[in-house]
Amino acid sequence: EDQTDLYTLHIATLAGFGGTAAPAGDRVDHTAAPWINAAADDIVAHLREAKPLHAVIVGHSMGGMVAMMTGSRAGDLVDGVV
């Protein structure tokens, strides 16, 4: 049974990845906590704007750290982190 109409997928391209420009004046050290915090803040802002009914944040490698930080900052908006 096709259930694609039941879900909405939001894909984040974080600043400095996927051919996007790094934040102005930032060298984007992808291992630095300030960068991870900024990325999580961006996703939290998106969640607050999009207002999903249920959100599961999925991240791989560095994205996993961003996903965990996002979940810890927006527990009221996030149902799970993978």
Side-chain angles (χ1 to χ4, degrees):
E1 179 179 336
D2 183 10
Q3 297 183 351
T4 56
D5 59 333
L6 299 177
Y7 303 95
T8 302
L9 177 65
H10 298 253
I11 300 174
T13 300
L14 304 174
F17 287 94
T20 63
D26 190 6
R27 62 185 175 86
V28 187
D29 178 355
H30 300 299
T31 63
W35 179 87
I36 294 169
N37 290 329
D41 288 343
D42 288 345
I43 295 172
V44 169
H46 174 76
L47 289 171
R48 295 207 186 284
E49 183 179 321
K51 297 180 176 125
L53 293 177
H54 300 283
V56 176
I57 309 299
V58 179
H60 174 262
S61 192
M62 181 69 66
M65 292 194 302
V66 174
M68 288 187 290
M69 184 64 69
T70 300
S72 72
R73 291 182 177 196
D76 58 320
L77 300 172
V78 175
D79 290 333
V81 174
V82 177

